[in-house]
Amino acid sequence: MTTLVHPADTLTRDALTVLQPGFTGTTAPDWLLRRLGEGLASVGLFGRNVASPEQLAALTAQLRAERDDVLVAIDEEGGDVTRLEVRGGSSFPGNLALGAVDDTRLTHDVARELGRRLAECGVNLNWAPSADVNSNPSNPVIGVRSFGSDPQLVARHTAAYVEGLQSAGVAACAKHFPGHGDTAVDSHHDVPHIAAELRTLQERELVPFRAAIAAGTKAVMSAHILLPALDGTLPATLSRNVLTGLLRAPASEGGLGFDGLIVTDGMEMQAISATYGIERGSVLAIGAGADAICVGGGLADEATVLRLRDALVRAVRDGELSEKRLADAAARVRALARWTRSAGAAQGTLPGERGVAPAPEAGLVAARRALRVTRNGPYEPLTAPAYVAAFSPVANIAVGDETPWGVAAELARLVPGTGTGTYGSPGDAAAGPRARIEDILRAAGERRIVAVVRDVHRHAWMAAALDALLDARPDTVVVEMGLPQAPPRGALHIATHGAARVCGRAAAEVIAGG
């Protein structure tokens, strides 16, 4: 254990306590262990920190050797957004698939199994589920991460997910408050605006968050979005009107009455960093009512931690930030850490203990039930090798581009000899879809073609290419692994409601007649 010659003062310790930083590597760097000894209470993990369950368990044990009550957080939604299985694809379908099945018991069981695996690896805070109502089908960042577009459906599955995850001893974090579903801008790049009136927000965006709070969610994550109906100047993460006046305020005052941990979305996202800077943004967020600052997806070094620590200390000493507000925020972080210890002990999910019964097939069962299959006439199951043409859009930052997706690997396992090619947005618009399709036809030869698309309704180039391919080869199988907004096309059309590996397996089974 790292020891300190001069313990940090209370103010500095509180400033460190409210930070949830990231780091690089699959073992904890010395600087991180040192800061844990000085008061840092949370660590955020990302795909770059995970190589295997065994390695992750060793990493979290290393952190707990320094501080036994450390909060170890991760962005593990399952489905398209996975960190546990970042290099192979998730064993769990995402929210849209669960919403399509609309069986809250199944959602509970999937979340519980996901929580069991997290707890087994020593993770005790999951920045999930997404409680966003995907009311805008052109949304570039939520989409399949949402349970759906119906507020009541999203609410009941958000509650089931929270209860399932926390029954495994892992704290849930409903996001992105007060709702990121009605945006056409990704807050990783800019500040999205939601023009909805307060009544619409109450009847749509806020419904799932009320359900999450009623279900006992231990944390809520704020969104970097501007909602003039609530605050015409500051995005939600920095707005006292939103975090204190709405989320924290009691129901008798029109609020949601949430008393748990409020954590920000990543402060290095452009919606905050490009306008306010991460230091100023962090001070404003804590002042507005946030309790924990998430940073580390992009800025994952000691210098960032020290910059934010010093900015918070300076703000208190300059009278810009109340010392009591910072102390209250730090107290909520410590309270959540205590809950994770007691919840883990009660469920037998502390590292090295056995408690929650494994349900290894829960994800596959859900993925199979989520499929929506449309046949355009008789369909003969695939018995000979096929050619999979994957039309691949640019991945949003939340999903990332390092996680494989599609059906090719799973189909090749069932039908050896199946080949594949990836086709992105054509750089030469003048060439049109015809040249792209000719490449696919040459590569496929006589083999049946399986076209895999993702959110075809949002990408004109993809829709044009698919049209041209179906004109040339009407027997093509189409697999939509994003939001199934466009009408079904192809000899066989399969909507998977997500691009997780397990969704690809379920689709491949249907294509091969399994």
Side-chain angles (χ1 to χ4, degrees), residues 24-42:
T24 58
T26 53
T27 59
D30 289 343
W31 69 261
L32 182 66
L33 300 176
R34 184 168 63 253
R35 300 306 168 190
L36 286 171
E38 295 176 359
L40 187 69
S42 308

Side-chain angles (χ1 to χ4, degrees), residues 134 136-143 180 183-187 395-396 455 458:
N134 197 58
N136 183 348
S138 296
N139 193 314
V141 68
I142 301 300
H180 208 309
T183 64
V185 173
D186 185 344
S187 52
N396 69 59
D455 293 334
R458 291 202 303 114

Side-chain angles (χ1 to χ4, degrees), residues 75-406:
D75 194 9
E76 179 58 54
E77 299 176 16
D80 291 29
V81 180
T82 180
R83 312 307 177 205
L84 282 182
E85 300 178 275
V86 64
R87 291 167 186 84
S90 182
S91 300
F92 302 92
N95 284 3
L96 188 66
L98 296 172
V101 177
D102 196 13
D103 179 344
T104 54
R105 183 73 241 176
L106 179 67
T107 296
H108 176 282
D109 291 348
V110 166
R112 183 174 172 85
E113 173 62 13
L114 180 58
R116 186 194 67 80
R117 296 189 193 184
L118 289 171
E120 195 172 63
C121 295
V123 176
N124 54 13
L125 170 60
N126 191 10
W127 293 318
S130 167
D132 305 295
V133 178
N134 197 58
S135 53
N136 183 348
S138 296
N139 193 314
V141 68
I142 301 300
V144 297
R145 300 168 66 196
S146 166
F147 290 109
S149 58
D150 176 0
Q152 296 300 327
L153 179 145
V154 175
R156 60 180 173 266
H157 286 278
T158 295
Y161 194 108
V162 166
E163 291 168 354
L165 189 66
Q166 293 187 170
S167 72
V170 175
C173 181
K175 62 186 184 186
H176 307 79
F177 187 82
H180 208 309
D182 189 21
T183 64
V185 173
D186 185 344
S187 52
H188 289 90
H189 303 297
D190 204 347
V191 182
H193 291 230
I194 294 182
E197 296 179 354
L198 181 58
R199 179 176 177 180
T200 300
L201 297 177
Q202 292 282 4
E203 295 175 351
R204 188 178 65 187
E205 272 75 13
L206 298 182
V207 172
F209 288 98
R210 294 186 190 279
I213 293 167
T217 188
K218 295 298 175 181
V220 169
M221 177 178 282
S222 67
H224 305 328
I225 56 178
L226 189 69
L227 301 99
L230 300 173
D231 190 320
T233 304
L234 294 170
T237 293
L238 312 183
S239 171
R240 185 170 178 80
N241 289 351
V242 174
L243 299 189
T244 299
L246 178 60
L247 180 54
R248 194 71 85 192
S252 60
E253 299 175 13
L256 276 66
F258 179 61
D259 194 40
L261 188 80
I262 300 176
V263 58
T264 72
D265 208 343
M267 295 302 285
E268 64 267 62
M269 293 164 63
Q270 291 296 300
I272 299 296
S273 62
T275 304
Y276 304 92
I278 62 169
E279 295 99 325
R280 174 75 177 154
S282 296
V283 170
L284 290 173
I286 297 295
D291 306 304
I293 301 296
C294 176
V295 66
L299 299 172
D301 54 25
E302 183 179 23
T304 298
V305 172
L306 298 182
R307 283 166 59 194
L308 297 186
R309 179 201 66 182
D310 293 348
L312 291 167
V313 169
R314 186 166 54 250
V316 170
R317 290 177 174 163
D318 290 348
E320 183 183 0
L321 176 64
S322 161
E323 185 172 1
K324 181 179 185 304
R325 170 79 275 274
L326 180 62
D328 287 347
R332 280 201 173 87
V333 175
R334 297 179 189 120
L336 181 57
R338 288 193 298 272
W339 178 87
T340 62
R341 291 290 295 173
S342 62
Q347 297 298 329
T349 55
L350 291 178
E353 298 183 2
R354 303 183 70 86
V356 177
E361 295 297 304
L364 182 57
V365 168
R368 286 169 174 162
R369 290 181 63 187
L371 296 182
R372 297 295 178 266
V373 180
T374 304
R375 290 176 172 82
N376 183 17
Y379 172 74
E380 291 295 328
L382 191 70
T383 55
Y387 183 76
V388 179
F391 295 97
S392 182
V394 176
N396 69 59
I397 293 176
V399 173
D401 58 6
E402 56 187 333
T403 302
W405 67 282

Side-chain angles (χ1 to χ4, degrees), residues 379 382 384-392 405-424 436 439-453 466 469 473 476-481 494 504 507-509 511-512:
Y379 172 74
L382 191 70
Y387 183 76
V388 179
F391 295 97
S392 182
W405 67 282
V407 303
E410 293 295 335
L411 192 57
R413 182 177 60 83
L414 297 175
V415 187
T418 293
T420 186
T422 300
Y423 303 88
R436 174 63 47 91
D439 290 342
I440 295 172
L441 295 176
R442 278 194 298 270
E446 298 300 316
R447 292 176 291 181
R448 188 183 300 182
I449 297 174
V450 178
V452 182
V453 295
L466 185 59
L469 179 58
R473 294 283 294 271
T476 294
V477 174
V478 178
V479 182
E480 169 61 85
M481 303 196 79
I494 303 173
E509 290 173 347
I511 295 168

